[in-house]
Each structure stands twice: as C-alpha cells, then as structure tokens.
C-alpha cells in the first residue's frame, strides 16, 4: 500500500529539507535562463529560516520526506505575495503544485485577510505559466526585465472569501 501526500504548515525543523529541495527544483530554471546565481540557488539557511518565521509556509510530505513547498505573506494593502512553489521532480505533473498553491491561498485568506494573490515566474517557464493560468491567475503589468536572459511575468488573481473555500471542500 502506497503512502499519500499530506499538506501541512511547515515547522522550523523543515528549513533544511526545504532548502535542499529548493536547490534541486531550481536547477532546471537556472539552466533555462543560463544563470546559476538566481536567488533560490544562493539563498542561505538563515534567510530561509527568517522566511519561515515571517510568513506562512506550507509543505507537502510523502511520509517524512518534504516533496513540495510554497511560501506567502500579506502586505499592508492586502496583497498576498506567493513565492517559491516547488515540487520534487519525481512528483511533478500529478497535481501537487496546484494543491500546494490552493493550500497557501486558503491559509493566506483565512489567517491574513488577503484580498488578492500575486506571484511571478520567468517568461520562459511555460509549465509554471500554464499552471498559474489554469488556477485563475492573469498577467498584470508588463514583463519585467531582470537580466538579458530573464524577464519576470507578474500574475495576480482576486482572493476568494474563506467561506468560499469551505463550501468547495
């Protein structure tokens, strides 16, 4: 009998596991843009721990193994900023990214009164762009050049009221 993936709040003990998974998951992104100096590959454990302490972090677990994660926080204006959605390569294309994104949206809406969700991804990251569009995100503003190889696409969608999530559960 196989184990099922569970999604829950991250704990301080998850920081090292998340950082190792992040490093693994962002290799393809770095190769896509020819830049291995991107922030997810250079982030320190202390910086990740600060993110865990200052925002909401959700993890997906297969048994004791962390196989996915996503982070978020809400600005004063009610904009929930979602970042670093990662899923272990062997677990991709099975709906886990969507489950993680919905889980962080629910937590941000319920705990921090998010009015809208905003995230970004690289302009060549077609799989991510398709996922975000499928889940209701639309591009806002123009594409933001970062380097000669990389531009960021900012995407947003309005937050559903918490009772909407309860009704759909």
């Amino acid at each position: 009998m196989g184990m099922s993936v569970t999604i829950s709040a991250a704990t301080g003990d998850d920081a090292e596991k998340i950082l190792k998974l992040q490093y693994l998951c962002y290799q393809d992104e770095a190769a896509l843009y020819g830049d291995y100096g991107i922030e997810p590959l250079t982030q320190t454990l202390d910086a990740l721990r600060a993110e865990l302490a200052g925002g909401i972090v959700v993890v997906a677990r297969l048994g004791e193994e962390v196989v996915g994660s996503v982070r978020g926080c809400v600005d004063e204006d009610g904009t929930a900023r979602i970042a670093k959605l990662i899923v272990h390569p062997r677990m991709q294309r099975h709906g886990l990214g969507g489950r993680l994104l919905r889980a962080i949206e629910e937590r941000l809406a319920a705990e921090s009164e998010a009015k809208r969700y905003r995230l970004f991804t690289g302009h060549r990251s077609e799989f991510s762009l398709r996922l975000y569009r499928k889940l209701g995100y639309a591009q806002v503003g123009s594409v933001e050049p970062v380097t000669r190889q990389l531009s960021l696409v900012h995407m947003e969608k309005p937050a559903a009221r918490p009772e909407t999530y309860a009704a759909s559960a």
Side-chain angles (χ1 to χ4, degrees):
M1 178 180 213
M3 291 186 279
S4 62
V5 174
T6 59
I7 296 178
S8 61
T11 68
D13 293 339
D14 292 325
E16 198 169 329
K17 295 174 187 177
I18 293 169
L19 190 62
K20 287 178 182 177
L21 180 62
Q22 176 177 301
Y23 188 82
L24 173 66
C25 291
Y26 275 92
Q27 294 297 315
D28 288 344
E29 195 81 0
L32 185 61
Y33 297 102
D35 183 358
Y36 288 86
I38 59 176
E39 190 271 341
L41 296 182
T42 60
Q43 185 176 29
T44 66
L45 185 56
D46 286 340
L48 176 62
R49 284 187 174 125
E51 285 184 16
L52 282 169
I56 295 174
V57 182
V58 176
V59 294
R61 298 177 198 282
L62 183 62
E64 294 297 313
E65 181 185 7
V66 172
V67 294
S69 180
V70 64
R71 303 167 214 178
C73 62
V74 179
D75 294 346
E76 289 179 11
D77 70 352
T79 300
R81 303 208 178 267
I82 297 173
K84 296 185 179 97
L85 174 62
I86 54 175
V87 175
H88 193 289
R90 77 171 190 276
M91 303 293 291
Q92 292 176 2
R93 293 177 173 61
H94 297 288
L96 187 52
R99 286 180 58 199
L100 281 164
L101 194 52
R102 285 187 292 276
I104 196 79
E105 289 172 354
E106 289 175 17
R107 297 265 324 264
L108 290 164
E111 295 176 25
S112 301
E113 300 180 12
K115 296 177 183 168
R116 72 196 65 75
Y117 306 112
R118 182 172 282 176
L119 49 75
F120 63 85
T121 191
H123 71 287
R124 294 182 192 157
S125 303
E126 287 300 323
F127 181 76
S128 296
L129 289 165
R130 274 194 307 274
L131 173 65
Y132 300 146
R133 286 183 186 119
K134 178 181 170 186
L135 295 175
Y137 287 81
Q139 182 176 333
V140 292
S142 58
V143 175
E144 173 192 349
V146 177
T147 66
R148 290 176 55 168
Q149 296 85 13
L150 171 64
S151 295
L152 297 179
V153 178
H154 294 266
M155 303 182 84
E156 188 175 287
K157 78 174 188 180
R161 295 192 329 252
E163 58 271 15
T164 303
Y165 289 117
S168 65

